[in-house]
Amino acid sequence: MSSDHDTAFIDLRAITKRYAGVTALDSVDFTVQPGEAVCLAGENGSGKSTLIKIISGVEPATEGTVRIAGKERPYLNPRISAAAGVMVIFQDFSLFPNLSVAENIAFATQLSTHERFFKSRATREIARKALDRIGVEIDLDARVETLPVAQKQLVAICRALASQAQLIIMDEPTTALTEKEVRRLQGIIRMLKDEGVAVIFVSHKLAEVLEVSEKVVVLRNGKKVAEGPATDFDTQSLTYHMTGRDVPEVPPSEVMAGAETLMHVESLTKEGSFADISFDLKTGEVLGITGLLGSGRTSVAKALFGLVAPDAGSITVEGKPVPTGDPQAASMARIGYVPEDRLTEGLFLSQSILRNVAIGRLDAHTSGGFLNMAGLVDEASDWLKRLKVKAPDVEAPVQSLSGGNQQRVALARWLSRAPRVLVLNGPSVGVDVGSKADIHDIIRDLASQGIGIIVISDDLPELLATCHRILVMRDGRIIDELDGRSVTEDDLAHRLAS
Amino acid sequence: AAEAHSKNIATVVKIAGIQWFNRMEEGVNKFAEETGMNAFQVGPAQADPQQQVALIEDMIAQGVDALAVVPMSPEALEPVLGRAMEAGIAVITHEAAAQQNTAYDLEAFVNEDFGANLMEQLATCMGGEGEYAVFVGSLTSQTHNQWVDGAIAHQEANYPNMTLVGDKNETFDDAEQAYTKAQEVLRAFPNIKGMQGSASTDVAGIGRAIEERGMEDATCVFGTSLPSIAGQYLETGAVDGIGFWDPAVAGEAMNKLAVMVMNGEEVTDGMDLGLPGYESISLDGKVIYGQAWVNVNADNMADYPF
Amino acid sequence: MTDHASTKTITSAPEFRLLIIAVFVFGLMSVLSPDRFLSAQNLTSMAFQFPEFAILALAMTITMLTGGIDLSVVGVANLSAVVAAIILTQFADPAMPASQSVIWLSFAIAAALCIGALAGLVNGCLVAFFGLPPILATLGSGLVFTGFAIAMTGGSAVMGFPDTVAVIGNAQVLGIPVPLILFALLAIVLHLILTRTAFGLRVTMFGANPLAALYAAIDINRMLIKVYVIAGLFSSVAGLIIMSRANSAKADYGSSYLLLAVLIAVLGGVNPYGGYGRVIGVVLAVLSMQFLSSGLNMLQVSNFARELIWGALLILVMVINTHAVTALRGSFAKTPK
Amino acid sequence: MTGWLPKDFWTRNETLVAGVIALFCIIATLSDPRFFTITTVSDLLRASIVIGILAVGAMLVLVSGGIDVSFTAIAVFAMYSSTVLFLAIWPDAPWPLIFAVSVAFGAFLGAFNGFFIAFLGLPTLIVTLGTLSIFRGFLLTFIGSQRISDLPPDMRDFSRGVLARGTTEAGNFYSIPWAALALVFVIVLTWFILKKTMLGRSIYAIGGSVESARRIGINVKWTQFFVYVYVGALAGLAGIIHGSVGRMADPFSLVGLELSVIAAVVLGGARLIGGYGTLTGTLLGVALIVIVQNSLIVVGIPTTWQSVTIGILILLGTGVPAYRAKRAAARAG
Ligand SMILES: Nc1ncnc2c1ncn2[C@@H]1O[C@H](COP(=O)(O)OP(=O)(O)OP(=O)(O)O)[C@@H](O)[C@H]1O
Ligand SMILES: Nc1ncnc2c1ncn2[C@@H]1O[C@H](COP(=O)(O)OP(=O)(O)OP(=O)(O)O)[C@@H](O)[C@H]1O
Ligand SMILES: [Mg+2]
Ligand SMILES: [Mg+2]
């Protein structure tokens, strides 16, 4: 044990982090050896990001000592930490939307070398090298804001690679990546390890976690509950440690025989995004739409809810045409949409949980121009209870909830409107295993009540666990339609990548 | 006698702190010293009629005996001055000939005559012919418009060979704006020979533009201003002459009138207020006119150090 | 538990600190100048003074809640007043019997409100449909509205109203000044709109996260237009009060009220980036400003110093609020599990 | 076809503003051929100096993700108090010294803003709204409220100094004052900071995302502090130039101009959300506002309609790109 501490690149002892009222980390010991890949696992809110923030100097620890490269660091900030060789790929990427790809990649490196003047040629060189290393082609002069999410994530990864890092920390680096890019990332991690660079890897995708890491550390409620070589764990046992219970996935039950067509989409086309999208959705059916990066799935999902105006094509719900390109019309036709990025698109973070749910049902509780507050509170509380949202107080701001609970609040808003069709874009992105299974249960339950559900996802197990049918998209077109109950994960992965 | 010493007289001016009203305050203070009354001057921080209304409200609330007001916008003050008079406060105004709710309005002169007086000098300088332009601080300022209208009328009646070019140019009482407007006038009307300003900063801005182009001798510039503002341009000849009335005397005269009203004394046509320019006033209804204008040029500017 | 929590939220709200400031200023002025500040004369005088800019501050508040701002409030106020004044001077004779002039007065009021609504509609469309940043949209439209008022009047004041016009700005009902009554009504109306209607909730939510509002299928354009129309209507009411108190209308009345209205709204705890703001805070801010202002006038403190004190007060309140917020942040983030 | 042009050339604000300027000039020339002369150009240049310097400062603040409405108050404060100071202690001081002191005053007041914004983390709009009142109130209460025309003689000499002055053969007068060099200096210095130093890039980065900047180790507080000090210094410079060239220290001038300056900067493509803004755009925005404000007589717009005209110009200038951006965003989904 003590020798562990002696050789460690990162050596945290008895770290406690308290935010007024919350203990995010509770006396955690944590070491990383040079060249070691450590996996940090835990449910939402278990303290993973907090631990990373302490190592990278973004937040100070309340108690405990931090040693980096053998030196005690009583005072740490991002600059010192970076100078010591710690690079982080943050959960939210932390990029500069207004700057070019090249500058985004090179900025941290240039800061760490105490560069005073800005040289654009050197900047491009640094960026080019980093991109070459993972073999991606991105326009160096493009502004980051114009890139799709997945490319943004790649830029964030390149930024970490660009510097002479001793340790690269990846906080859920794969959420926006498709299988193919995840494979490439895993390759990079192996390469880094060979070069003696240590890696801390946080992910909710348990299979990929186990594949690349040597050591696994599991956090629960801010405490370290398990630690050991990766070979000692499998998905099952990891889940058990994270949640403290077993979470089995059940496959979806059959669609009711003779179910009627609920939604009909005909030749939906949008220049440059998707073309000729046609499909039917039956009552009680869960339809998956999947595809690689840039395949157009998000655009299709948004088009169904009127957020993207298609150039051609039509949508009908229960036989009635729905005007396209108008979210209000879609919502009137009882289509619901839970967006991909709940922090910026889905929720009003500073507002109360109650208001976040109620916003969808204000008109129904208005009489004589005024709101019936009691009715509103009752209804919202009821939905929060039905979705098992763990909240101390419905008046608390929604930002005080963990990711999984936030996602349920977003769901509650739409469910309270009794939708006929619910479009779920990445329903469990960044949600922990326990909550994920719960959300899948909710999806199956809703379908059994006759709601038509469209799940957009690239999480294959998720698709298999919830969908009756799966549409595969490539280059903006539907190229395959699979039976969700008979297809296997390998088969699906193969069709996606081919 | 005892009550004469305990009177509170507030002089409320358009805006606090600027030279013009500081000079007026000298007159008010002189009056206070000589009579032993509690005469003082206040003014809002911003040139906004509503602020002046609020200030007068506060004065009424604290129970002054008399108000001497230089309205920013006479119409806007009617209601509040009406309330003041109802409360038994003696109200005297200045530069507001149309004011209804006042015991007397004091005018240093008939505005149109003052404008004509400036025009007379301008026309003489221009030799009675050529293009000229006029400037006002703001199109919403009544006195500025009266001066300019009086000047134009005087020109039309007496100097048929002179022509007014362009509109009334608005300078927002800002020397910088007057400067750019003057530049523009010089560009748009290259043959221009004369300019007449109204706001005290107008001739300063005009003078600067003239000086920059080296046209001091080719042009004639007259306007209302103060020696402290226009002095440097009078020296170089960029500005040829200015006219004004001494605000200190006006301030003193207002306070004097206020006391007369409080004591129930009658003001009559041809009366002598015992102040320079107001030796023989003419009374037209409630409006008291003096002949208190002062014409200043490079030769006599040293006599007026403000 | 709930008892404890609610008292805690009341005392920790920024509005509570404003209440303390208002009471403190009132107390201070009463002590410094007891016979004059506390006189009935002064209290009514203050009640006559603040409603016009306080109403403008309310208009500012609702636009700020959406993360916008309305820099055209003074322009709208003057334009509506000018239109009303022109109607009154054209059709109503000052010598007309009161019963007849009341009809024309109501007509003029209706016209002024229409102008206010119309101007608000223009602002709303600029912000909603054309996507202009509100600060520039209303800066530009404010110039246009003022410009129309100048063009319609040639820049001079419009005056010569029947006596009934004076009622709006100068009369008292049961000893309460009419402008104060109007302000109180509008403040209550706005408070109810913001807290008790679907529209009000949407306004705040939109201010908190416009993108999420789009994804929640809120009709954003309609909501924004309503917001600016309400601001325009409020401004025109302020314009009518100014007109009545000045017994005339002119394009440049109240030019100092714009910054004052912004200052009051912000001092009142409204977040200028949207998502938070309460009418009670704005009311308390208005009162503090008026107590301070009248009190300082009585003490014959220079009016320039007043500006200095306002600015300092604003920053002081912000420093206190921000620090209180940092200290309290944890009390919201309760353990979710 | 247009390979040498930047890819987004036709959709940039700069292009649009330049187009509007060209269009306006054509209309003005058609309505009065005398418009298109060297006189007009030199007059407009002179009118742009002070606004230009202020606009460069305002642009920097917008880029950093803030907004500053106090810079006009800083400019007047620095100008007036340095004038008063030198009149009291050394009226014959050389102008560069007086200028330096004004710049230092400006930087000092900017540091106030910087302190509250960078170190206490208060919202920029509120802080600068407050300091606008404080600086102005302090100046008028404690330093003075009178216009001063008897400036130190060397300041007057500065205003008489010209780089070029004369009359063309066609009889068109022109004059370029020394002060134009100050604008050039400010532009070059700011260009260098923004484009060639890590500090400048950090300002853009902070404007893009403060949190990201903090996380990759940019010293956000000191960068913000620098921005406000620098802007204060620029305001001090603009103020003293305004005073000496106008040959009057007027404590009531400039304040009230802040929103028009910000409008000019936004016209030039800077965004209120931060992270975007270029010097070219800013200067074009200033040029447009100055040209229109100073050419309405030539174009024949009656004085009573001028404020309507300028209002419509601001609406069009900011509305067209805003509308285009909105449409583009809607198309992209
Ligand atoms: N700034 C903060 N103030 C108060 N509480 C905080 C703050 N940041 C995090 N917390 C709390 O600390 C706990 C740990 O959060 P952390 O972000 O480390 O979780 P995580 O394991 O990264 O979760 P996820 O998988 O959702 O990213 C949570 O309960 C969270 O609510
Ligand atoms: N308006 C447009 N013009 C040109 N290309 C576009 C436009 N909109 C989208 N695209 C391109 O079309 C492709 C499909 O985009 P889309 O965002 O739908 O992909 P996606 O698969 O849904 O992304 P994600 O992996 O984030 O879910 C991308 O290559 C995108 O860059
Ligand atoms: Mg996390
Ligand atoms: Mg001459």
Side-chain angles (χ1 to χ4, degrees):
Chain A
M1 190 73 203
S2 74
S3 73
D4 244 23
H5 283 291
D6 292 342
T7 56
F9 176 68
I10 295 288
D11 177 12
L12 305 185
R13 288 186 211 185
I15 293 291
T16 297
K17 173 70 188 175
R18 270 183 226 107
Y19 293 104
V22 188
T23 305
L25 286 176
D26 189 357
S27 192
V28 173
D29 287 327
F30 183 72
T31 58
V32 182
Q33 304 296 327
E36 185 184 33
V38 178
C39 162
L40 202 52
E43 294 195 277
N44 287 124
S46 58
K48 306 179 297 288
S49 296
T50 307
L51 192 68
I52 289 169
K53 284 181 191 157
I54 285 169
I55 298 173
S56 58
V58 172
E59 299 269 4
T62 317
E63 283 161 30
T65 55
V66 179
R67 284 168 171 275
I68 300 179
K71 241 171 88 182
E72 190 166 332
R73 314 276 173 164
Y75 176 74
L76 202 57
N77 66 24
R79 209 183 266 256
I80 299 174
S81 167
V86 177
M87 279 293 148
V88 189
I89 302 162
F90 287 96
Q91 200 167 356
D92 59 4
F93 313 154
S94 288
L95 296 172
F96 303 109
N98 56 331
L99 298 184
S100 70
V101 168
E103 257 193 274
N104 265 285
I105 294 176
F107 217 121
T109 313
Q110 286 163 329
L111 280 179
S112 64
T113 55
H114 298 284
E115 211 57 82
R116 279 189 180 282
F117 297 105
F118 174 78
K119 301 181 192 78
S120 80
R121 188 171 306 158
T123 305
R124 294 174 61 91
E125 208 141 292
I126 294 171
R128 162 98 6 253
K129 270 192 199 142
L131 282 168
D132 285 349
R133 223 161 137 192
I134 56 169
V136 220
E137 198 56 52
I138 301 177
D139 180 5
L140 285 181
D141 298 316
R143 277 195 173 151
V144 161
E145 65 183 339
T146 63
L147 302 180
V149 188
Q151 290 198 358
K152 284 183 192 160
Q153 193 153 43
L154 293 173
V155 171
I157 293 169
C158 286
R159 176 164 75 190
L161 294 180
S163 59
Q164 302 301 315
Q166 302 294 306
L167 166 69
I168 296 183
I169 303 174
M170 306 184 178
D171 195 353
E172 305 198 28
T174 61
T175 42
L177 300 187
T178 46
E179 295 287 333
K180 211 158 101 188
E181 285 142 344
V182 172
R183 297 255 167 271
R184 183 166 280 154
L185 186 63
Q186 288 171 342
I188 296 166
I189 293 175
R190 289 195 191 93
M191 184 183 78
L192 288 170
K193 283 196 290 192
D194 292 345
E195 293 172 10
V197 178
V199 175
I200 299 175
F201 193 83
V202 179
S203 174
H204 288 299
K205 298 179 181 171
L206 300 182
E208 71 188 33
V209 160
L210 294 173
E211 208 166 312
V212 292
S213 40
E214 275 119 32
K215 187 169 89 177
V216 175
V217 173
V218 185
L219 296 179
R220 195 196 310 153
N221 279 340
K223 290 202 182 71
K224 190 165 82 179
V225 291
E227 178 172 14
T231 45
D232 290 1
F233 292 86
D234 58 14
T235 337
Q236 213 90 74
S237 61
L238 206 49
T239 307
Y240 174 76
H241 284 299
M242 284 162 66
T243 59
R245 63 195 155 104
D246 282 309
V247 189
E249 284 278 12
V250 258
S253 55
E254 226 163 320
V255 190
M256 258 182 296
E260 284 164 31
T261 302
L262 183 60
M263 181 193 229
H264 175 67
V265 176
E266 181 69 47
S267 316
L268 219 53
T269 299
K270 174 150 178 92
E271 177 85 31
S273 283
F274 51 84
D276 207 17
I277 303 292
S278 306
F279 61 84
D280 281 338
L281 179 70
K282 293 195 172 63
T283 44
E285 185 183 30
V286 183
L287 176 68
I289 301 183
T290 186
L292 288 179
L293 161 67
S295 59
R297 5 166 257 249
T298 297
S299 302
V300 168
K302 285 186 177 176
L304 294 178
F305 188 63
L307 291 161
V308 162
D311 306 324
S314 65
I315 302 169
T316 37
V317 172
E318 292 181 311
K320 286 195 245 14
V322 182
T324 54
D326 179 0
Q328 278 97 52
S331 145
M332 291 287 283
R334 294 170 71 193
I335 301 175
Y337 178 69
V338 179
E340 209 173 3
D341 183 352
R342 62 178 166 265
L343 299 183
T344 63
E345 299 169 342
L347 295 170
F348 304 87
L349 290 176
S350 62
Q351 303 286 314
S352 69
I353 299 168
L354 173 72
R355 283 185 168 199
N356 268 281
V357 177
I359 188 81
R361 287 276 292 162
L362 295 178
D363 288 328
H365 289 282
T366 299
S367 64
F370 287 102
L371 282 172
N372 167 9
M373 293 309 266
L376 206 60
V377 174
D378 283 352
E379 190 183 77
S381 311
D382 184 42
W383 275 105
L384 293 173
K385 217 175 289 155
R386 275 160 79 174
L387 291 181
K388 301 194 191 109
V389 176
K390 286 176 204 130
D393 178 1
V394 290
E395 289 295 343
V398 80
Q399 65 198 2
S400 63
L401 295 181
S402 74
N405 282 315
Q406 287 180 350
Q407 189 71 352
R408 289 175 215 226
V409 171
L411 268 173
R413 175 188 310 155
W414 284 107
L415 293 181
S416 68
R417 302 186 57 144
R420 297 299 291 126
V421 177
L422 197 54
V423 183
L424 305 175
N425 196 352
S428 61
V429 169
V431 168
D432 59 277
V433 195
S435 298
K436 198 167 178 166
D438 286 348
I439 287 175
H440 294 169
D441 275 342
I442 294 169
I443 292 174
R444 282 186 290 258
D445 183 43
L446 292 172
S448 70
Q449 293 166 30
I451 298 179
I453 297 178
I454 298 177
V455 174
I456 319 266
S457 176
D458 59 3
D459 181 339
L460 302 184
E462 171 165 279
L463 289 167
L464 295 175
T466 53
C467 299
H468 298 109
R469 261 190 313 146
I470 300 170
L471 303 178
V472 183
M473 287 187 67
R474 190 190 305 152
D475 294 338
R477 286 171 187 278
I478 297 175
I479 52 157
D480 244 333
E481 179 177 331
L482 306 166
D483 182 358
R485 291 165 58 79
S486 58
V487 73
T488 64
E489 191 170 335
D490 284 346
D491 192 16
L492 190 54
H494 179 69
R495 280 172 198 260
L496 259 178
S498 66
Chain B
E3 60 269 30
H5 285 269
S6 60
K7 297 286 187 212
N8 296 313
I9 309 176
T11 302
V12 183
V13 299
K14 293 183 195 181
I15 183 166
I18 65 173
Q19 265 102 338
W20 183 268
F21 291 115
N22 287 350
R23 172 78 180 173
M24 183 171 281
E25 199 166 12
E26 286 174 24
V28 174
N29 292 341
K30 179 163 162 254
F31 176 82
E33 238 164 68
E34 283 172 3
T35 60
M37 302 217 179
N38 178 26
F40 59 93
Q41 180 177 309
V42 290
Q46 276 159 320
D48 178 0
Q50 264 57 43
Q51 300 250 333
Q52 204 181 15
V53 171
L55 201 51
I56 296 174
E57 298 256 15
D58 283 339
M59 290 301 132
I60 299 173
Q62 57 167 278
V64 294
D65 300 294
L67 279 165
V69 183
V70 189
M72 176 82 200
S73 178
E75 322 74 59
L77 296 191
E78 292 295 6
V80 68
L81 291 183
R83 272 201 294 283
M85 292 180 78
E86 270 167 38
I89 296 172
V91 176
I92 302 293
T93 53
H94 178 48
E95 284 189 76
Q99 196 82 52
Q100 297 298 312
N101 289 318
T102 177
Y104 291 105
D105 177 70
L106 177 71
E107 296 292 305
F109 38 67
V110 177
N111 280 325
E112 282 78 1
D113 292 355
F114 176 67
N117 156 59
L118 286 176
M119 173 52 73
E120 182 57 36
Q121 299 177 59
L122 181 67
T124 311
C125 171
M126 287 168 68
E129 57 175 32
E131 296 178 346
Y132 73 97
V134 294
F135 293 73
V136 293
S138 70
L139 292 169
T140 61
S141 155
Q142 196 186 357
T143 38
H144 290 190
N145 281 290
Q146 282 173 342
W147 296 339
V148 165
D149 291 339
I152 297 172
H154 185 74
Q155 172 263 316
E156 281 167 354
N158 301 301
Y159 300 99
N161 294 333
M162 287 171 65
T163 36
L164 172 67
V165 289
D167 269 334
K168 290 173 189 169
N169 295 292
E170 193 176 17
T171 63
F172 304 98
D173 293 80
D174 176 9
E176 196 63 28
Q177 295 266 4
Y179 164 69
T180 48
K181 278 278 149 55
Q183 277 187 338
E184 213 185 321
V185 167
L186 286 167
R187 281 203 310 276
F189 310 104
N191 299 322
I192 194 143
K193 276 179 71 185
M195 292 192 231
Q196 178 171 333
S198 303
S200 63
T201 43
D202 284 358
V203 289
I206 299 170
R208 191 178 137 205
I210 297 280
E211 210 176 286
E212 220 159 59
R213 284 167 155 76
M215 294 168 75
E216 291 93 338
D217 298 331
T219 53
C220 298
V221 178
F222 288 85
T224 315
S225 191
L226 288 181
S228 62
I229 294 174
Q232 53 175 317
Y233 298 101
L234 286 170
E235 278 169 12
T236 62
V239 174
D240 300 87
I242 57 171
F244 58 90
W245 68 102
D246 189 341
V249 183
E252 206 179 336
M254 277 197 286
N255 277 275
K256 229 173 195 170
L257 284 167
V259 173
M260 287 171 72
V261 171
M262 280 188 283
N263 295 342
E265 290 169 38
E266 191 83 15
V267 177
T268 53
D269 200 34
M271 197 173 176
D272 181 358
L273 292 183
L275 291 165
Y278 303 90
E279 290 96 348
S280 168
I281 56 166
S282 55
L283 186 63
D284 176 10
K286 284 181 184 175
V287 187
I288 299 167
Y289 292 103
Q291 298 83 29
W293 68 62
V294 185
N295 288 326
V296 166
N297 51 37
D299 302 329
N300 65 345
M301 58 186 267
D303 302 341
Y304 300 91
F306 61 93
Chain C
M1 161 74 210
T2 37
D3 240 349
H4 173 74
S6 63
T7 46
K8 192 174 168 189
T9 39
I10 286 174
T11 50
S12 64
E15 288 79 14
F16 183 74
R17 284 188 285 275
L18 273 169
L19 179 66
I20 294 177
I21 290 177
V23 170
F24 174 76
V25 173
F26 190 86
L28 184 72
M29 291 306 163
S30 309
V31 169
L32 288 179
S33 171
D35 45 333
R36 284 186 292 174
F37 190 80
L38 287 175
S39 69
Q41 178 62 294
N42 184 48
L43 296 180
T44 9
S45 155
M46 287 196 290
F48 269 114
Q49 283 179 42
F50 71 78
E52 43 195 65
F53 60 81
I55 291 174
L56 294 179
L58 291 180
M60 198 66 76
T61 300
I62 188 169
T63 54
M64 275 190 179
L65 276 175
T66 65
I69 194 167
D70 189 348
L71 299 180
S72 71
V73 284
V74 174
V76 176
N78 283 324
L79 182 61
S80 342
V82 161
V83 168
I86 288 177
I87 292 174
L88 286 168
T89 49
Q90 291 291 309
F91 301 104
D93 196 321
M96 201 175 251
S99 58
Q100 220 172 326
S101 66
V102 164
I103 297 173
W104 282 112
L105 179 60
S106 353
F107 185 63
I109 292 175
L113 294 178
C114 283
I115 294 288
L118 205 66
L121 187 70
V122 170
N123 285 333
C125 289
L126 288 172
V127 173
F129 292 118
F130 294 96
L132 267 84
I135 194 168
L136 293 172
T138 55
L139 176 71
S141 71
L143 281 172
V144 173
F145 300 143
T146 308
F148 278 131
I150 293 179
M152 285 164 76
T153 58
S156 41
V158 185
M159 51 190 157
F161 306 145
D163 291 343
T164 40
V165 175
V167 171
I168 308 174
N170 302 309
Q172 303 190 2
V173 174
L174 305 172
I176 305 167
V178 174
L180 181 63
I181 296 175
L182 287 174
F183 167 67
L185 277 178
L186 290 182
I188 292 169
V189 165
L190 186 64
H191 174 76
L192 289 179
I193 288 179
L194 290 179
T195 56
R196 291 281 175 268
T197 70
F199 165 71
L201 236 58
R202 288 193 187 113
V203 168
T204 317
M205 303 280 276
F206 172 83
N209 184 353
L211 193 59
L214 177 71
Y215 280 77
I218 290 178
D219 192 342
I220 292 170
N221 290 349
R222 224 179 79 183
M223 184 210 72
L224 280 176
I225 286 175
K226 271 199 205 164
V227 163
Y228 284 91
V229 167
I230 290 176
L233 282 171
F234 276 42
S235 305
S236 61
V237 174
L240 286 169
I241 296 178
I242 294 176
M243 176 184 88
S244 167
R245 271 171 49 83
N247 199 29
S248 58
K250 202 172 168 188
D252 67 350
Y253 282 168
S255 48
S256 63
Y257 286 170
L258 177 57
L259 231 49
L260 191 59
V262 176
L263 206 70
I264 289 172
V266 174
L267 186 63
V270 181
N271 180 351
Y273 303 103
Y276 184 82
R278 295 174 64 182
V279 171
I280 180 72
V282 178
V283 172
L284 288 170
V286 164
L287 292 179
S288 315
M289 289 284 229
Q290 184 61 49
F291 296 155
L292 204 58
S293 162
S294 283
L296 292 176
N297 265 341
M298 311 224 138
L299 302 172
Q300 289 189 23
V301 173
S302 144
N303 277 292
F304 300 124
R306 197 153 54 143
E307 216 170 310
L308 173 69
I309 293 171
W310 283 349
L313 186 64
L314 177 68
I315 292 194
L316 179 76
V317 168
M318 278 314 291
V319 171
I320 295 172
N321 279 354
T322 323
H323 276 253
V325 166
T326 359
L328 281 171
R329 190 181 286 159
S331 71
F332 282 115
K334 290 168 191 153
T335 334
K337 301 216 162 123
Chain D
M1 186 182 75
T2 49
W4 51 277
L5 289 173
K7 241 182 294 179
D8 55 350
F9 181 81
W10 293 109
T11 56
R12 290 172 82 127
N13 262 53
E14 283 97 326
T15 316
L16 179 84
V17 174
V20 174
I21 292 178
L23 191 74
F24 189 90
C25 290
I26 291 170
I27 294 174
T29 311
L30 287 182
S31 74
D32 184 349
R34 278 181 312 229
F35 174 81
F36 203 68
T37 58
I38 182 91
T39 314
T40 311
V41 175
S42 88
D43 280 357
L44 293 179
L45 177 70
R46 277 194 310 250
S48 310
I49 294 171
V50 171
I51 298 187
I53 296 175
L54 291 175
V56 167
M59 187 269 283
L60 212 65
V61 178
L62 288 186
V63 166
S64 78
I67 188 165
D68 186 349
V69 294
S70 72
F71 58 87
T72 49
I74 294 182
V76 170
F77 191 108
M79 175 265 284
Y80 194 80
S81 38
S82 49
T83 308
V84 168
L85 180 71
F86 277 97
L87 282 175
I89 59 164
W90 188 16
D92 295 322
W95 66 261
L97 182 67
I98 303 176
F99 275 41
V101 167
S102 177
V103 169
F105 276 151
F108 178 71
L109 297 186
F112 260 93
N113 285 336
F115 171 74
F116 286 113
I117 291 165
F119 297 108
L120 293 188
L122 303 189
T124 60
L125 177 64
I126 299 178
V127 168
T128 55
L129 202 61
T131 53
L132 171 70
S133 292
I134 293 178
F135 296 158
R136 204 179 113 96
F138 190 91
L139 173 70
L140 294 170
T141 316
F142 296 111
I143 299 180
S145 56
Q146 312 217 14
R147 297 187 172 110
I148 301 174
S149 308
D150 293 322
L151 299 183
D154 222 48
M155 276 170 78
R156 278 203 220 178
D157 289 347
F158 173 85
S159 76
R160 295 207 169 96
V162 287
L163 294 171
R165 183 171 193 278
T167 311
T168 59
E169 278 166 35
N172 292 316
F173 167 84
Y174 63 90
S175 145
I176 313 284
W178 285 352
L181 279 185
L183 178 60
V184 173
F185 170 75
V186 165
I187 292 170
V188 171
L189 178 67
T190 310
W191 174 84
F192 183 78
I193 293 175
L194 283 181
K195 293 282 175 189
K196 293 291 162 192
T197 69
M198 286 308 286
L199 176 65
R201 300 321 291 168
S202 301
I203 295 173
Y204 276 99
I206 290 177
S209 166
V210 182
E211 191 51 37
S212 306
R214 196 168 289 133
R215 286 185 183 169
I216 70 163
I218 292 175
N219 198 329
V220 172
K221 288 182 178 168
W222 282 102
T223 310
Q224 274 183 333
F225 188 70
F226 167 82
V227 167
Y228 289 92
V229 171
Y230 184 73
V231 169
L234 289 189
L237 179 64
I240 196 74
I241 289 178
H242 171 81
S244 0
V245 171
R247 290 201 236 147
M248 190 196 292
D250 179 354
F252 292 94
S253 65
L254 290 178
V255 173
L257 215 67
E258 54 279 343
L259 289 175
S260 314
V261 172
I262 293 173
V265 175
V266 176
L267 272 178
R271 295 194 206 160
L272 294 168
I273 52 158
Y276 300 84
T278 61
L279 279 166
T280 331
T282 302
L283 295 175
L284 283 169
V286 169
L288 181 56
I289 294 258
V290 168
I291 289 179
V292 172
Q293 245 165 9
N294 293 293
S295 310
L296 293 175
I297 298 183
V298 177
V299 184
I301 293 174
T303 315
T304 38
W305 286 95
Q306 290 187 358
S307 131
V308 174
T309 316
I310 294 174
I312 288 179
L313 175 92
I314 291 180
L315 292 181
L316 281 181
T318 51
V320 171
Y323 185 60
R324 250 182 358 198
K326 198 179 149 100
R327 288 286 300 276
R331 266 199 306 276

